[in-house]
Amino acid sequence: MTTTPPRAVRLPAPLRSPGRWAVLPAAVVAGAALGGGYGVLKTPEYAATSYVIVVPGEKSDPAAALGFAQAYGRVATDIAVTGDAQVWAGVTAAALRESVRAETSPDAPMISITARASKPSKAVSIADGVARSLVLNSSHVAGSTGVKVVQFSRATKPAAPVSPSAPLSALVGACAGGLLGGLALLVRPKRAAGRAEGRHSRPAAATGAAVPAPAAHQPEPEAV
């Protein structure tokens, strides 16, 4: 009676070298450290929002207010720069353009003006300054447009920054590091296999040995 020896179980290449899996936790730790450091060193930003509304004149079409609100929203930063918003807020024109974002509503003639700054009071000053510039500019051209912009709500002082905190930055960095480490583990076996295949193919190419062509299939004669 003969016994068949047990067949050896061949593990995948990544499992045969457990040391390579250390790349994944190392990438997670590195990403968390970089993200946490960024959250600690980055200056916190605060956001304040001021609201204005476009109202039609006595003889103008109420539906025109919605269209002018969209137009004023697109040029809010330009009007603020050409007006006195940068003087009231105490910032340069470039800083005002970078820190202000104006948004409009498709259903109401209202414009929200959001300003971001390193200090809560500065964010409030910028948002209210841009809103005030829109109000003054609309009053100068109300005779030709038939609408004017009025202050709907002044900006309130933010109590907390809107920029991500250090723990949140560390968490995002850890996730990014884990993703990059996992991708490195997936890509590396393919490169190693490609190099091994290249090494096996070099000796045959160096010796110049000809590879025999496959023999042509000869049909067998039919039996009579």
Side-chain angles (χ1 to χ4, degrees):
M1 179 178 181
T2 59
T3 59
T4 304
R7 181 179 298 177
V9 179
R10 187 173 182 82
L11 298 176
L15 297 180
R16 294 199 303 269
S17 55
R20 294 178 57 249
W21 287 96
V23 175
L24 187 58
V28 172
V29 173
L34 292 176
Y38 174 80
V40 171
L41 298 177
K42 181 177 174 56
T43 303
E45 286 187 342
Y46 296 85
T49 304
S50 180
Y51 296 91
V52 296
I53 189 170
V54 180
V55 296
E58 296 180 357
K59 298 181 180 180
S60 61
D61 185 6
L66 184 59
F68 276 103
Q70 302 292 330
Y72 275 118
R74 294 189 183 95
V75 298
T77 54
D78 295 333
I79 294 175
V81 169
T82 56
D84 297 329
Q86 52 187 329
V87 178
W88 297 327
V91 296
T92 62
L96 189 145
R97 289 181 183 274
E98 294 176 358
S99 61
V100 174
R101 184 182 73 254
E103 296 181 351
T104 58
S105 172
D107 303 324
M110 182 176 291
I111 306 172
S112 64
I113 302 166
T114 302
R116 299 169 69 101
S118 58
K119 296 181 179 180
S121 58
K122 180 65 68 176
V124 172
S125 299
I126 297 175
D128 287 340
V130 175
R132 186 178 176 184
S133 292
L134 289 178
V135 171
L136 290 179
N137 180 270
S138 67
S139 63
H140 295 159
V141 296
S144 57
T145 60
V147 298
K148 61 179 180 179
V149 180
V150 297
Q151 186 83 34
F152 184 79
S153 175
R154 295 178 62 88
T156 58
K157 189 176 181 179
V162 294
S163 55
S165 60
L168 180 58
S169 299
L171 179 60
V172 173
C175 295
L179 178 60
L180 293 178
L183 292 176
L185 289 177
L186 292 176
V187 173
R188 188 174 176 181
K190 296 180 180 180
R191 294 181 177 177
R195 289 195 296 267
E197 184 179 354
R199 286 196 300 268
H200 288 301
S201 61
R202 287 195 194 98
T207 56
V211 179
H217 177 69
Q218 299 292 337
E220 298 180 359
E222 299 181 357
V224 179

